[in-house]
Amino acid sequence: MKRTDYCGTLTKKDAGRIVVLTGWVHRRRDHGAIIFIDLRDREGIVQVVFDCSDTAKVGAPHAAPSQFQDQSHALRSEYVIEVCGKIAERPAGTENQEIQTGEIELRATDLTILNRALTPPFSIDEEVEAAESLRLQYRYLDLRRPSVQEKFILRHRLSRSVRRFMDENGFLEIETPFLTKSTPEGARDFLVPSRQNPGTFYALPQSPQLFKQILMVSGFDRYYQIVRCFRDEDLRADRQPEFTQLDIEFSFLESTDILALMETMLSDLFRELKKIDLLPPFPRLTYQEAMSRFGTDKPDLRFGLELKDIADLAAHSPFKVFLDVIAKGGHIKGINAVGLAKSSRSEIDALVQEATTRGAKGLAWLKVTEQGVESPIAKFFTHAILNQIRERFSAAPGDLLLFVADSEKVVYEVLGGLRLLLGQRLGLIEKGQFKPLWVIDFPLLEYDDAEKRYVAIHHPFTAPRDEDIPLLDTEPLRVRSKAYDFVLNGSEVGGGSIRIHQSGLQSQIFELLGIQKEEADLKFGFLLQALQFGAPPHGGIAFGLDRLAAIITCSESIRDVIAFPKTQKGICLMTQAPAQVDSKQLKELHIRSAYPS
RNA sequence: GGGACCGUAGUUCAGCUGGUUAGAACGCCGGCCUGUCACGCCGGAAGUCGCGAGUUCGAAUCUCGUCGGUCCCGCCA
């Protein structure tokens, strides 16, 4: 016998058919002479009825009635079974509206137990109740849960749609090596010792960055790949040591072209997968604007609470804290915590605490009430100025204004963080909402105080904007790049840039980054050389597919859309990787562990 | 490297101002039950209170350390 149908696909139309189903025992309801089993497979659940008196009449082909009864009685959760029987409409009044197949049931005439199962450590149920560590240890059981499978099915459809879109737009899927070379800059590499070349190491790619640029030099014109990337850094809810990128590179296009093409792809995806219209063009914010309005380069546009500058108003007060900051060229900005004027002193203290842990020296507050304002700093301001402050925040009675005066960096960090916190706390984030945007015109470089040198904000192959190239020699920090980030619901989901395709400019950037010519030649001489052999103007983008899948499936963590994720310590709770290896293996690799064992 | 939270039957949790034999629900095991669908009813088993040390006459409860999990900062071009 062979399976004829998936459980979840059966409907009234199948009534009368003799079918063979296979699956897992989801739940059993044993009434003695009649036993109900909910049988589950990937497509859903169907009720199977073992009516033992009925079987006695019909006569089971392979099992004597008593054996049939014994067998069905012995069924337990998660047993794997094969049942044969006739699909029938349920008796009037016993239909179950809750499930897809609730109008019919399988009247079993034959049962084979394909495998028994231990009692699972947690129930294979819709509601998440087991601790995540237990779910990860028994990931195969967790992955049986319909709500979990749904996420992976959606992720599959996401990849499939992406592949179709890329294909339709002339992109070629080309694989690049996993065993490659460690390059300076960027994240810590995972290293792989070479057995054949003692003392040398491959590195797992942080991204196929250099290879995809080389493929452009090769003339493939449009490349893409859904590819695993590896970064040996600490984990977060949205960061795993291995993750999947949709990696894209193209020749002879400007950034506006790729942004438009990607908008089409993304809006197609959301229409297909979520039946949601994300209409292009998406908002485009310059880095400067994103920072000054939201205090971050990845703003969550699902709610307002924008930052407002009050330095001009603060300048009219004798409040020394504000005046000092202004004198030092710092910023004074605020945010309207809508409706929080009713906050108690301790609730406000908690906000102050939040601000100071983010680096602020203090947090000034001002309650707007029916009577006027209430604030420790109100005495420093005239009525007229207070009114202007209220107007600037469109503050109504009942609102609480919060101010930070500090360096630009601190002000953005603190208020950007508070804005997110308040957005969540005030319930301003509506579920099922998707707010995409592009952030453009990133600075090319920033200064690393610790290393005392410039570092690339995006990566060292990012092209500066043409009109800013002269500033490379005079004011490098003012140079803007041709980089762009795709941000969705406050999460950095994609990023890319137009690359440098002239070796001269590339060398100049390396020099600025403090990478010596010898080092550059050693580490990525192959790229510099390739750029001299007719490299076309090119650029690209990469999307974090796990992050995109997590957002689309409304998941808290990318672990929910990765079949076998690792814990925050980088451990796989199912396999217990990483683990010690045989000393013989180490010897072959010319490796000795410095870790005391 | 740092901060915060969590760890008690198989599971989810209660118990925590120190004091009889550590409880509940679900699950599990046995029995009864012909229309249930989170079936119901009766009965039963089930615990190194993460681990170690300390304080105490006495620790699940207090203290310190440690292990594990989660969130965050640093880190992640």
Side-chain angles (χ1 to χ4, degrees):
Chain A
M1 288 207 289
K2 206 174 169 187
R3 172 169 69 192
T4 58
D5 298 85
Y6 277 121
C7 298
T9 59
L10 295 164
T11 65
K12 227 165 161 177
K13 290 197 198 82
D14 297 294
R17 287 180 53 216
I18 304 284
V19 300
V20 179
L21 301 181
T22 55
W24 286 263
V25 174
H26 188 65
R27 205 161 268 135
R28 93 194 141 103
R29 292 176 292 279
D30 187 341
H31 291 234
I34 187 165
I35 298 171
F36 300 94
I37 293 289
D38 289 337
L39 188 65
R40 187 193 69 238
D41 63 24
R42 172 181 125 175
E43 299 300 323
I45 282 171
V46 72
Q47 174 165 279
V48 181
V49 188
F50 297 95
D51 187 333
C52 295
S53 57
D54 193 34
T55 313
K57 276 177 257 155
V58 176
H62 301 302
S66 62
Q67 200 184 341
F68 180 74
Q69 187 167 9
D70 283 352
Q71 258 197 324
S72 49
H73 185 70
L75 292 177
R76 291 293 180 272
S77 282
E78 301 307 310
Y79 275 28
V80 188
I81 63 172
E82 181 182 87
V83 268
C84 178
K86 188 185 275 185
I87 298 295
E89 288 190 37
R90 292 195 187 185
T94 66
E95 301 89 350
N96 184 353
Q97 310 295 335
E98 303 294 312
I99 62 171
Q100 285 275 314
T101 61
E103 287 187 319
I104 50 107
E105 63 192 10
L106 174 68
R107 305 266 168 82
T109 52
D110 196 13
L111 165 68
T112 310
I113 295 178
L114 298 173
N115 210 348
R116 294 174 203 282
L118 296 175
T119 301
F122 52 87
S123 80
I124 313 302
D125 224 325
E126 285 302 341
E127 304 84 44
V128 181
E129 46 163 33
E132 195 181 4
S133 56
L134 195 71
R135 293 170 50 203
L136 291 182
Q137 187 187 342
Y138 297 94
R139 188 59 161 166
Y140 39 89
L141 298 180
D142 190 38
L143 290 171
R144 268 184 207 165
R145 292 164 48 218
S147 55
V148 175
Q149 290 201 342
E150 242 170 61
K151 294 190 174 187
F152 286 90
I153 292 167
L154 194 73
R155 180 169 174 156
H156 156 76
R157 295 205 286 134
L158 170 68
S159 305
R160 188 188 58 183
S161 301
V162 162
R163 286 209 162 87
R164 204 201 50 228
F165 181 90
M166 297 313 291
D167 179 58
E168 282 170 357
N169 285 277
F171 287 82
L172 304 171
E173 184 163 16
I174 300 174
E175 295 183 54
T176 51
F178 277 4
L179 296 176
T180 179
K181 193 174 171 182
S182 177
T183 52
E185 308 276 309
R188 192 176 295 114
D189 287 317
F190 280 103
L191 296 178
V192 180
S194 164
R195 174 183 56 81
Q196 290 176 302
N197 304 280
T200 64
F201 296 83
Y202 301 100
L204 302 180
Q206 295 173 27
S207 85
Q209 183 60 37
L210 300 181
F211 288 104
K212 66 175 177 175
Q213 289 189 241
I214 299 271
L215 288 172
M216 293 305 101
V217 179
S218 306
F220 282 106
D221 194 70
R222 289 179 175 212
Y223 142 97
Y224 86 101
Q225 192 180 184
I226 291 179
V227 62
R228 197 65 59 84
C229 301
F230 306 86
R231 294 178 191 176
D232 188 8
E233 297 293 349
D234 287 351
L235 285 74
R236 289 286 190 283
D238 61 352
R239 273 161 42 184
Q240 283 274 307
E242 49 180 314
F243 60 99
T244 305
Q245 250 179 217
L246 165 60
D247 194 47
I248 297 170
E249 196 79 5
F250 49 85
S251 300
F252 308 113
L253 287 180
E254 284 299 323
S255 56
T256 48
D257 303 318
I258 191 76
L259 263 45
L261 187 64
M262 294 296 98
E263 280 170 350
T264 308
M265 178 186 80
L266 290 160
S267 65
D268 281 5
L269 283 178
F270 273 84
R271 195 175 315 110
E272 264 184 66
L273 304 176
K274 300 289 287 185
K275 297 191 168 52
I276 285 175
D277 277 323
L278 290 192
L279 294 178
F282 301 159
R284 288 170 202 193
L285 262 59
T286 65
Y287 172 84
Q288 270 311 325
E289 194 182 354
M291 292 305 286
S292 75
R293 285 175 57 192
F294 302 99
T296 173
D297 62 356
K298 46 176 182 174
D300 192 334
L301 297 190
R302 288 177 297 178
F303 61 96
L305 303 187
E306 291 191 22
L307 279 47
K308 304 285 179 193
D309 198 321
I310 58 157
D312 57 324
L313 301 175
H316 295 297
S317 90
F319 187 35
K320 195 164 177 307
V321 172
F322 283 1
L323 292 177
D324 283 353
V325 167
I326 292 171
K328 281 188 209 144
H331 282 213
I332 303 172
K333 294 199 170 215
I335 189 172
N336 182 356
V338 181
L340 284 190
K342 59 182 184 298
S343 302
S344 68
R345 188 59 205 243
S346 66
E347 283 167 330
I348 290 181
D349 283 347
L351 288 173
V352 175
Q353 181 64 37
E354 292 287 352
T356 48
T357 52
R358 288 177 166 80
K361 290 179 202 72
L363 181 71
W365 54 269
L366 188 150
K367 286 180 180 177
V368 180
T369 64
E370 295 290 355
Q371 290 75 36
V373 301
E374 189 185 318
S375 164
I377 61 163
K379 56 177 179 269
F380 296 113
F381 295 91
T382 64
H383 256 295
I385 296 283
L386 284 174
N387 277 335
Q388 284 189 58
I389 291 176
R390 284 177 54 170
E391 261 171 51
R392 190 154 298 176
F393 289 94
S394 311
D399 290 350
L400 172 70
L401 303 181
L402 303 167
F403 309 100
V404 177
D406 214 306
S407 68
E408 184 177 25
K409 189 166 176 269
V410 170
V411 166
Y412 288 151
E413 228 160 78
V414 172
L415 287 179
L418 281 181
R419 176 179 174 268
L420 265 187
L421 197 77
L422 291 169
Q424 288 159 5
R425 226 174 257 178
L426 295 171
L428 301 178
I429 300 174
E430 200 184 308
K431 244 203 150 166
Q433 235 190 342
F434 299 95
K435 292 287 183 186
L437 76 144
W438 296 102
V439 179
I440 57 172
D441 290 351
F442 280 83
L444 185 70
L445 307 164
E446 62 185 343
Y447 192 75
D448 187 320
D449 289 322
E451 295 200 34
K452 302 232 181 301
R453 67 180 184 96
Y454 295 109
V455 292
I457 285 192
H458 189 54
H459 60 55
F461 319 107
T462 300
R465 284 181 55 145
D466 302 328
E467 65 269 38
D468 290 353
I469 288 179
L471 293 172
L472 283 171
D473 295 322
T474 54
E475 292 177 276
L477 290 177
R478 281 192 53 207
V479 176
R480 291 165 300 169
S481 71
K482 293 182 181 174
Y484 32 82
D485 272 1
F486 173 68
V487 176
L488 182 57
N489 292 359
S491 174
E492 185 197 324
V493 167
S497 64
I498 300 297
R499 327 296 183 192
I500 298 166
H501 66 281
Q502 295 119 328
S503 61
L505 182 58
Q506 184 66 73
S507 299
Q508 190 184 352
I509 298 291
F510 280 151
E511 208 173 302
L512 205 52
L513 294 174
I515 301 173
Q516 303 303 314
K517 188 176 185 312
E518 297 73 32
E519 192 190 356
D521 284 343
L522 194 69
K523 304 287 185 177
F524 17 66
F526 60 98
L527 177 73
L528 298 179
Q529 194 172 43
L531 291 179
Q532 298 179 68
F533 282 97
H538 62 285
I541 190 166
F543 292 90
L545 211 62
D546 316 274
R547 286 185 184 175
L548 189 57
I551 293 171
I552 287 182
T553 58
C554 300
S555 303
E556 295 287 317
S557 159
I558 64 170
R559 293 188 299 275
D560 292 348
V561 293
I562 294 173
F564 303 102
K566 292 177 177 61
T567 67
Q568 196 159 50
K569 284 224 165 81
I571 289 166
C572 170
L573 291 177
M574 190 180 71
T575 64
Q576 288 298 322
Q580 294 201 320
V581 295
D582 213 87
S583 57
K584 190 176 151 219
Q585 284 178 288
L586 289 182
K587 207 171 169 191
E588 281 179 339
L589 294 169
H590 325 284
I591 294 283
R592 200 173 336 150
S593 176
Y595 191 78
S597 56

